[in-house]
Amino acid sequence: MSCSTRKYQYYTQDLAETALIDQHIYKGFLPHEGPQNVYECDHCGHWHLTSKASERNSRLQEMIDSGEMKRKQEASKWERGF
């Protein structure tokens, strides 16, 4: 089943949050770039990523604040060979 929003669907909030964090790691987004949170869709009932959030996802924010995100982004660059 596809969603009328045409966004990728995640079956659980945890899967959506993991995808959110993975995108920040592998695409190298700065903290204010890219998707910022997840939400449960009123149309399909699944979870989507959004960049139009009023606040950043708490798991993502913790990784940014602790420096873990920056370390993982750097490791990802090295793994891909820049």
Side-chain angles (χ1 to χ4, degrees), residues 20-62:
L20 171 71
I21 289 166
D22 284 349
Q23 282 197 14
H24 274 263
I25 292 169
Y26 298 114
K27 292 185 179 182
F29 291 129
L30 294 173
H32 63 280
E33 295 177 332
Q36 297 294 309
N37 212 337
V38 302
Y39 69 97
E40 189 171 15
C41 182
D42 292 335
H43 301 283
C44 69
H46 291 99
W47 291 82
H48 301 301
L49 308 183
T50 183
S51 58
K52 296 181 174 147
S54 59
E55 62 184 58
R56 188 175 288 131
N57 178 271
S58 61
R59 282 177 57 190
L60 177 60
Q61 187 65 56
E62 287 173 17

Side-chain angles (χ1 to χ4, degrees), residues 65-77:
D65 291 346
S66 70
E68 183 179 2
M69 179 59 68
K70 189 169 180 82
R71 288 189 300 276
K72 287 186 179 284
Q73 287 174 330
E74 190 65 28
S76 178
K77 284 182 195 176

